[in-house]
């Protein structure tokens, strides 16, 4: 029997032209491994969210560039075909800056490459590097963030309640996760903790993916409807909030899954620390205002319908009257004034531009480079 994988994407053993992913649409009911062999396979997996989460989107896109290069025919221009592939990948999901950044890193690899074989090799190696870097970044985020959980545990001497939104776990990255990395490390270090998991309508990444991850590691957790977090904060039942991000501006405004802004507002009203686990790959140094972050709008039926599994089969039910329109904004922007701090791979800093510059002082010299 196949063992449950503990990473979200890998190169197939003995077949470097095949990338394997967990198709996240089937979780938590079934672990389905999907093979990606072409640029189109990767673009579809991104667009239809077989893979999702900002860091993983970036890694998948990097391999998408490599797979595109594997299929350029002799009568096609290598450079022109690869530029088209870059555009195709970038158009799949607009908000996570990791996607744009990973594709641009791959474009640099082939800028001056005239040999196709050499170009393919370089794309493969860079995709592997991006994947490995992501694992290390997430591990370090956890290493820093765990101190926040320990500090509360020391003071409270009772269960620490952490609230998270969407899925910023290893399924959204390659390993560890961003927001969950600190939770995993604290739990391994013996901290008594419990996680409130926002269900995260409409695609329920919290209820399906985060809850699955936490169940796998036997970490105590409870799923709540998105509207419940304010109520719990008022009752003093949330000690700390940790969320991920898809894109954070140089000034510290944070785009994350829709609903994050409302959680941050309630957190401020109730003096609950609100931290964003922020890999440097999700910082967009070219933007200074959260309003400039492109917000993905997805299909109406994600809102008007609900999907789930019944007797081993995927079922879809209608929630709204037939014909009622819906709006489906996938992300919102939390202004930096509501953010207690950023947990990055370089350490923890206040949630503002100065905080980011403390950790990334090299950006003072080249503030707007992507
Ligand atoms: O639409 P999704 O599922 O790709 O959105 C994911 C999120 O909003 C995550 O919180 C974010 O990407 C950070 S993942 C470490």
């Amino acid at each position: 029997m196949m063992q449950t994988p503990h990473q979200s994407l890998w190169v197939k053993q003995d077949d470097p032209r095949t990338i394997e992913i967990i198709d996240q649409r089937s979780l938590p009911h079934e672990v389905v491994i999907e093979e990606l062999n072409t640029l189109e396979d990767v673009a579809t997996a991104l667009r239809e969210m077989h893979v999702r989460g900002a860091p993983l989107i970036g890694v998948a896109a990097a391999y998408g560039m490599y797979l595109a290069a594997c299929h350029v025919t002799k009568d096609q221009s290598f450079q022109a075909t690869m530029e088209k592939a870059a555009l195709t990948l970038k158009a799949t999901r607009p908000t996570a800056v990791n996607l744009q950044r990973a594709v641009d890193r791959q474009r640099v690899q082939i800028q001056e490459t005239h040999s196709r074989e050499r170009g393919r090799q370089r794309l493969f190696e860079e995709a592997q590097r991006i994947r490995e870097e992501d694992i290390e970044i997430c591990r370090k985020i956890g290493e820093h963030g765990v101190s926040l959980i320990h500090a509360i545990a020391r003071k409270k001497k009772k269960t620490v309640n952490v609230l998270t939104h969407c899925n910023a776990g290893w399924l959204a990255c390659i390993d560890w996760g961003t927001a969950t990395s600190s939770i995993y490390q604290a739990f391994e270090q013996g901290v008594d903790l419990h996680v409130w998991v926002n269900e995260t309508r409409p695609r329920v990444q919290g209820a399906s993916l985060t809850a699955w991850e936490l169940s796998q590691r036997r970490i105590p957790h409870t799923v709540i409807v998105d509207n419940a977090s304010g109520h719990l904060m008022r009752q003093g039942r949330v000690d700390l909030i940790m969320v991920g991000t898809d894109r954070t501006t140089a000034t510290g405004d944070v785009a994350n899954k829709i609903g994050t802004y409302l959680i941050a507002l309630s957190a401020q009203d109730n003096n609950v620390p609100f931290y964003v686990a922020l890999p440097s790959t999700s910082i967009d140094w070219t933007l200074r205002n959260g309003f400039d972050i492109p917000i993905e709008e997805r299909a109406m039926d994600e809102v008007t319908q609900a999907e789930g599994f019944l007797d081993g089969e995927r079922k879809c039910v209608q929630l709204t009257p037939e014909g009622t329109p819906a709006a489906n904004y996938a992300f919102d922007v939390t202004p930096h004034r509501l953010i207690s701090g950023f947990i990055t791979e370089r350490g923890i800093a206040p949630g503002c531009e100065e905080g980011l510059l403390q950790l990334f002082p090299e950006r003072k010299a080249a503030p707007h480079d992507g």
Side-chain angles (χ1 to χ4, degrees):
M1 208 179 85
M2 188 195 75
Q3 278 206 324
T4 305
H6 294 287
Q7 293 192 334
S8 58
L9 174 154
W10 58 93
V11 178
K12 187 173 182 181
Q13 214 174 0
D14 304 324
D15 181 4
R17 289 193 175 203
T18 300
I19 307 305
E20 291 186 319
I21 57 163
I22 299 179
D23 181 349
Q24 300 190 21
R25 297 170 306 165
S26 297
L27 289 173
H29 310 285
E30 217 183 332
V31 179
V32 174
I33 307 299
E34 183 185 352
E35 292 193 352
L36 307 177
N37 296 297
T38 63
L39 165 72
E40 288 68 32
D41 289 348
V42 176
T44 302
L46 287 166
R47 211 178 295 114
E48 295 177 7
M49 294 175 67
H50 310 193
V51 287
R52 29 68 50 204
L56 179 57
I57 289 173
V59 176
Y63 284 103
M65 288 291 280
Y66 157 66
L67 290 178
C70 292
H71 295 278
V72 181
T73 57
K74 285 209 170 67
D75 51 346
Q76 286 175 317
S77 146
F78 185 67
Q79 291 295 344
T81 310
M82 291 308 296
E83 273 308 295
K84 226 170 124 197
L87 290 177
T88 301
L89 289 165
K90 283 187 178 191
T92 54
R93 299 208 62 197
T95 303
V97 74
N98 306 59
L99 171 62
Q100 321 295 325
R101 178 157 297 142
V103 170
D104 286 339
R105 268 179 73 165
Q106 292 292 48
R107 287 172 68 224
V108 169
Q109 291 304 313
I110 47 175
Q111 243 159 30
E112 273 150 33
T113 310
H114 296 294
S115 144
R116 291 168 185 226
E117 195 42 56
R118 179 84 193 107
R120 261 196 293 275
Q121 187 58 26
R122 292 186 67 158
L123 290 167
F124 180 73
E125 285 165 7
E126 186 71 348
Q128 296 280 77
R129 249 189 311 274
I130 293 172
R131 182 180 181 281
E132 289 308 309
E133 282 169 18
D134 187 65
I135 296 173
E136 193 50 15
I137 287 172
C138 289
R139 192 186 63 74
K140 284 187 178 150
I141 286 176
E143 232 171 61
H144 295 297
V146 78
S147 64
L148 299 169
I149 300 177
H150 276 297
I152 296 169
R154 270 196 303 274
K155 206 162 142 205
K156 192 177 173 195
K157 297 194 172 57
K158 275 198 270 177
T159 308
V160 179
N161 287 298
V162 183
L163 183 138
T164 191
H165 188 59
C166 194
N167 172 260
W170 63 264
L171 287 165
C173 309
I174 296 294
D175 206 341
W176 295 101
T178 59
T180 55
S181 185
S182 312
I183 294 171
Y184 290 144
Q185 297 192 35
F187 188 71
E188 275 167 24
Q189 291 163 18
V191 177
D192 173 10
L193 59 80
H194 164 264
V195 185
W196 295 111
V197 180
N198 267 7
E199 68 167 347
T200 321
R201 273 285 289 158
R203 290 189 67 106
V204 293
Q205 291 95 326
S208 58
L209 306 178
T210 304
W212 182 75
E213 281 194 30
L214 296 170
S215 309
Q216 293 282 309
R217 300 197 187 197
R218 300 187 198 294
I219 297 181
H221 63 282
T222 307
V223 174
I224 51 173
V225 296
D226 296 325
N227 297 335
S229 59
H231 168 71
L232 289 171
M233 285 185 232
R234 276 181 73 79
Q235 292 192 331
R237 296 173 69 192
V238 180
D239 299 304
L240 175 68
I241 296 163
M242 284 179 164
V243 297
T245 174
D246 291 81
R247 187 185 300 226
T248 291
T249 65
T251 50
D253 294 344
V254 168
N256 191 47
K257 182 53 58 192
I258 193 79
T260 304
Y261 170 54
L262 291 178
I263 301 168
L265 279 175
S266 307
Q268 189 173 62
D269 194 41
N270 292 284
N271 283 322
V272 178
F274 180 95
Y275 279 87
V276 177
L278 170 64
S280 57
T281 48
S282 299
I283 306 174
D284 185 342
W285 296 100
T286 68
L287 295 186
R288 301 195 50 77
N289 191 329
F291 283 116
D292 295 330
I293 298 175
I295 299 296
E296 176 179 6
E297 289 180 47
R298 296 188 60 85
M300 266 196 241
D301 59 14
E302 290 183 356
V303 177
T304 59
Q305 300 173 350
E307 267 197 18
F309 273 69
L310 192 64
D311 302 330
E313 267 184 60
R314 196 193 298 251
K315 301 268 185 212
C316 179
V317 292
Q318 180 74 21
L319 300 174
T320 57
E322 281 300 337
T324 290
N328 188 5
Y329 302 101
F331 301 95
D332 60 24
V333 177
T334 301
H336 61 266
R337 65 187 157 78
L338 298 177
I339 295 165
S340 311
F342 294 121
I343 313 165
T344 79
E345 69 269 27
R346 293 203 189 165
I348 302 178
C352 57
E353 180 168 16
E354 294 69 35
L356 285 178
L357 289 175
Q358 271 167 30
L359 295 178
F360 300 93
E362 68 274 22
R363 288 287 161 179
K364 289 180 192 158
H368 306 307
D369 289 357

